[in-house]
Every structure is written in structure tokens, then in C-alpha cells.
Amino acid sequence: MVFFRQIRRLAYLVVLLVFAFFQMGNSGVARRTFEFFTYEGTPVVEDRMLRVFPSREQTVKSYVEELILGPVSVDLAPLVTKGVKLRSFMYRDKTVYADFSGDAALPVQGGRPLFESFLVLNRNIRRNFRSVAGIRLFINGNEIFFDEFEKIFGAD
């Protein structure tokens, strides 16, 4: 009788384990990494669980919006000035087009220079979304750092 009780408990455990793995696989979230820097310049990577949308465009857009909100830790410098908005976003033919509000042209006080901030933003997107082949960044409709990024990442 004790043997059957142990087998039954083991069966319950297996059923719960299978259910947990099924729920984890269908949770609708994915782990994403965010690279930020301390105010002294040391790189730090944060992990966050973000929602996965049926559309790749919406998933990447959600990631970029989370990225411009900045780090969770107050010891880390944001990539862009507080209050920057994503004005428009498109993901077409493996290329990301992101247009930021005019506040993005202002450097972060105590943070990285503007070019480095957008270079890190570019690297973050490429690291988390391997399907992205090119990234075009704009501030108020004007493309920024295209030639520099083309030299670093190859032809977009």
C-alpha cells in the first residue's frame, strides 16, 4: 500500500511538472537583455521579461520603448534623456525604422555622448533580435548617424 501511495505522489509530481513546463512555454513572455552604463562608464546588463506579441514589429517596438525608459537601477545612466518618446516605428524587410522625439538630441547629464548612446541602443536591438539586419534611427524625422553605423555594422 505504501508503494502505491509513493507511485501516486510521483505521478502527481510529474503531472504538475509537465503542466508547469507547458505554462512556461506558453506564457507569452521572453527574456530580453538591456545594456546600460554606470555613470563612471562601466557596462552593466539588465535582464527583463517582456511580452511577446504575435507581430514581430510590435515585439521589437515594445522592446525599444522599454529601452528608452531607461534602467531599473538608479545607479545606471539612461541611454536617452528622460521624456523621450518613440514618435513612430516600423519594421520592414528586416530593417527597423525608429523616430524619436526632439528631446533625444539632448545628451544625458552625466551619461554617454549622444553617438555612443545611440550606438548602444543599436547594439541592444541587434543582440535581442537576430532577424534585424538594419536599423535606421531618426530624431524628429531627421536620420542620425547613418554613415557611422554603416561603417560599424555593415551596409543597412
Side-chain angles (χ1 to χ4, degrees), residues 97-117:
Y97 300 90
D99 186 16
F100 301 95
S101 62
D103 296 342
L106 303 172
V108 175
Q109 187 173 356
R112 318 284 294 166
L114 194 62
F115 173 75
E116 288 182 35
S117 292

Side-chain angles (χ1 to χ4, degrees), residues 23 38 57 75 86 148:
Q23 286 291 65
T38 62
E57 179 177 29
D75 297 333
L86 187 60
E148 293 86 347

